[in-house]
Amino acid sequence: MNTLLDLSDRLYLDVADFAHSTPHWFQWLAEVWTEAGLLLFGVLFLAGWWRSREGSSRAMALALLAPLATAFGYVVSEAFKSLVDEERPCRAVAGAPASLVACPPHGDWSFPSNHSAIAGAAAIALALSWRGIVWLTVPMALLMAFSRVFVGVHYPHDVTVGLLVGALVAFVVMRAARRPVGSLVETARSSRNSAVVWCAGRGQAAHAATHAPAHSEQPRRARHGAY
């Protein structure tokens, strides 16, 4: 265990030295990404919900579960953080250069990384609800995790465990709650409340019915033209 922690210390120092050797604009991008990446995941949640409004109840259920599963990932990570009082590397590692962002205060513990847990959970939740987007969300999560080490506020093992915890929790929540939430979506789509229906979407059947007259108009005219 101590060997792994020593390795994490050395990796942290290597990344910190590398960070200070990069141009100021690159450091600024890393500082921005370490927070803005979370906002981009939020935008993807909204986009996933919007595109699922005309999809199946299962698709809408997964789109609604994605942010919820991510929230669960954060809660589990925060629970671990309250049990493990690990000091931040920007304060604990001897000889480390100053962190690029302000070192969090004492008591804001390091293990695991909540940012990484959120990123890992969001990446998996979105991948399960939106086919093909895994090629975007996984690199985003990995960059988010790396950026936390790059700016100097987490050890490599903090972000690794954070990613794994978030991803695992999100996977379990998405699989366990898919059917009950799908039933709720079907109930909401049959509601008489227009606001509820708008939020849940009308689904594939209503979408097809809306476009049916346009497709049937031409044959009807052809039959009339035959007389």
Side-chain angles (χ1 to χ4, degrees):
M1 184 65 178
N2 289 334
T3 302
L4 290 176
L5 294 178
D6 289 342
L7 176 60
S8 189
D9 281 2
R10 291 196 297 271
L11 287 174
Y12 172 80
L13 287 171
D14 289 341
V15 173
D17 289 338
F18 167 70
H20 280 268
S21 71
T22 57
H24 287 295
W25 63 266
F26 191 84
Q27 296 176 13
W28 177 82
L29 283 178
E31 293 175 34
V32 170
W33 175 249
T34 195
E35 301 294 344
L38 298 179
L39 296 178
L40 183 53
F41 275 121
V43 171
L44 291 176
F45 287 144
L46 288 174
W49 160 74
W50 184 259
R51 69 187 293 273
S52 299
R53 291 175 69 253
E54 294 179 349
S56 65
S57 296
R58 178 181 181 277
M60 175 54 76
L62 291 174
L64 293 175
L65 277 171
L68 181 63
T70 301
F72 270 98
Y74 164 76
V75 170
V76 173
S77 174
E78 183 63 25
F80 275 115
K81 190 183 288 285
S82 66
L83 296 175
V84 183
D85 298 347
E86 180 187 75
E87 189 59 270
R88 295 277 179 166
C90 43
R91 204 172 2 258
V93 177
S99 56
L100 298 183
V101 299
C103 193
H106 177 74
D108 185 352
W109 306 118
S110 188
F111 179 86
S113 165
N114 282 342
H115 279 72
S116 299
I118 293 171
I124 296 304
L126 283 165
L128 291 174
S129 63
W130 189 339
R131 181 177 298 179
I133 205 172
V134 64
W135 303 111
L136 172 63
T137 59
V138 168
M140 282 175 57
L142 293 176
L143 282 174
M144 173 74 69
F146 177 76
S147 73
R148 300 303 288 168
V149 182
F150 186 91
V151 300
V153 295
H154 276 293
Y155 292 100
H157 67 267
D158 295 338
V159 300
T160 301
V161 172
L163 284 171
L164 294 175
V165 167
L168 179 60
V169 171
F171 180 81
V172 170
V173 171
M174 295 287 284
R175 293 299 297 268
R178 183 186 65 194
R179 289 186 178 179
V181 174
S183 298
L184 289 175
V185 170
E186 291 179 0
T187 301
R189 285 179 167 178
S190 62
S191 173
R192 295 183 180 181
N193 188 308
S194 58
V196 172
V197 174
W198 185 85
C199 290
R202 294 187 176 276
Q204 294 172 323
H207 179 67
T210 301
H211 291 77
H215 296 302
S216 60
E217 186 67 23
Q218 185 173 353
R220 187 182 298 115
R221 289 180 177 176
R223 287 196 298 271
H224 285 303
Y227 292 102

